[in-house]
Amino acid sequence: MEIKVKAYAKINLMLDIVATRTDGYHDLFMIMQSIGIYDTVTVTQTDSKKITITCNADGIPLDEKNIAHKAAAAFFEATGIKNKGVHIDIVKRIPHAAGMAGGSADGAGVLVALNELTDTGLTEDELCDIGVKIGADVPFCIKGGTLLAQGIGDVLNKVKPLRKCFILIAKPDVGVNTAFAYKQFDECGKVHTPDKFGMLCAMQSRDLADIASRMENVFEQFIDVPNRVDMKAVMRENGALGVCMSGSGPTIFGIFDDKQKAEHAAEQLTVYAKDIAVTMPVSKGCKIVK
């Protein structure tokens, strides 16, 4: 028996680092949005008594280092279910090391699949309790939609969903290590704090132009992304309501109210990035494929 899950990527409409914690983590304020780019995670029961992984993309670890492997191990430990053997196949479409929670999405997909496969019946909150132990973004990737994330990213509250729009994402051919990005914050600090209250008011009113104009990510203050200024300029010149970086980078995204404008901008961005897509918001983090 196997379960197949669409595990969706995310972008950050706002990301502020509020404080450094005594445990080495950071308290965050993030408005997070699931988008229609997804990895397909297929979990199949085997008789191997092991957790095995295959993936269509190069450079992805296929052992205990993969969040998908950690998720499966954590699920069996938390539930007390004996692992008779599972194989995890990941078809990646979310760019790697992009600030779009690709690894966390895969981990979330595994938890959702195993819950269904074993007929355990855990709630989303119970799955999130398992997920946060393997990655701060995993709870969001389980629930998805449009959420305010606080704490280390594990305290989730609903905000009003983003209106219909078109999201252009462009990832330059570089990666950003998340641990390095937080170290830069610890060493450099931030020079400007995003208007969190203004963004919450904009989200409440669902004013797309107001939301887009308030998007901000503090990582942009100390993470250098090649051609970021040029990519943002291309998006704005083609009608983007707002542009921002996602997560710790390097992906740049723009929000458009017109699909043709987004697609025209995408064509012009090919000189700066290979991973380019026009997508839309989605209301879930994971979706079981029937």
Side-chain angles (χ1 to χ4, degrees):
M1 185 176 175
E2 70 174 33
I3 298 292
K4 187 173 291 189
V5 176
K6 290 182 178 179
Y8 291 100
K10 64 83 179 169
I11 55 172
N12 298 87
L13 302 177
M14 178 166 281
L15 193 161
D16 188 20
I17 303 173
V18 179
T20 302
R21 297 156 53 117
T22 56
D23 60 7
Y25 285 91
H26 296 78
D27 281 321
L28 306 171
F29 177 101
M30 302 183 289
I31 305 289
M32 302 173 79
Q33 175 65 55
S34 301
I35 61 173
I37 299 168
Y38 61 88
D39 290 350
T40 301
V41 179
T42 304
V43 180
T44 307
Q45 290 175 325
T46 68
D47 297 318
S48 68
K49 297 182 181 179
K50 297 179 181 178
I51 300 166
T52 56
I53 301 177
T54 52
C55 183
N56 68 320
D58 295 331
I60 304 297
L62 304 178
D63 55 14
E64 295 86 351
K65 295 177 183 176
N66 193 308
I67 288 184
H69 190 290
K70 294 177 183 178
F75 179 87
F76 290 123
E77 182 180 354
T79 59
I81 296 172
K82 186 176 181 181
N83 176 24
K84 296 179 181 178
V86 291
H87 179 71
I88 302 165
D89 180 67
I90 303 169
V91 178
K92 287 209 72 68
R93 300 179 187 85
I94 304 171
H96 179 55
M100 297 172 67
S104 295
D106 296 341
V110 167
L111 293 175
V112 169
L114 284 173
N115 192 41
E116 183 79 7
L117 197 61
T118 60
D119 198 26
T120 307
L122 298 180
T123 64
E124 273 192 349
D125 286 340
E126 289 171 326
L127 288 176
C128 288
D129 288 341
I130 300 171
V132 72
K133 297 172 184 176
I134 57 173
D137 281 341
V138 175
F140 172 80
C141 290
I142 291 170
K143 291 193 171 187
T146 314
L147 296 176
L148 165 63
Q150 294 173 282
I152 62 171
D154 58 328
V155 181
L156 301 172
N157 289 284
K158 286 188 175 182
V159 293
K160 289 191 176 180
L162 207 58
R163 291 189 184 277
K164 179 181 176 181
C165 61
F166 302 94
I167 300 166
L168 168 60
I169 66 114
K171 177 192 175 284
D173 194 21
V174 295
V176 175
N177 179 277
T178 302
F180 170 79
Y182 280 104
K183 184 180 178 183
Q184 291 295 105
F185 168 77
D186 292 336
E187 292 177 355
C188 305
K190 58 183 179 181
V191 296
H192 180 262
T193 296
D195 180 8
K196 296 185 282 292
F197 180 72
M199 176 59 96
L200 286 174
C201 291
M203 297 299 300
Q204 180 67 17
S205 67
R206 300 187 74 200
D207 185 325
L208 188 63
D210 194 19
I211 292 167
S213 70
R214 293 179 183 275
M215 294 192 307
E216 189 171 348
N217 182 342
V218 293
F219 279 119
E220 292 196 59
Q221 297 177 27
F222 41 85
I223 295 296
D224 184 35
V225 175
N227 301 308
R228 174 174 60 195
V229 172
D230 294 327
M231 288 192 291
K232 284 187 168 187
V234 168
M235 292 183 187
R236 288 193 183 100
E237 288 163 4
N238 283 278
L241 301 176
V243 294
C244 195
M245 186 174 80
S246 185
S248 56
T251 299
I252 305 298
F253 69 90
I255 291 183
F256 294 76
D257 58 8
D258 183 286
K259 187 177 182 181
Q260 286 187 323
K261 291 178 181 177
E263 290 175 339
H264 191 256
E267 292 173 4
Q268 295 181 29
L269 287 172
T270 55
V271 296
Y272 302 118
K274 293 179 182 177
D275 290 310
I276 300 172
V278 176
T279 185
M280 297 178 70
V282 295
S283 60
K284 294 190 174 202
C286 289
K287 181 180 180 181
I288 294 174
V289 180
K290 300 294 185 181

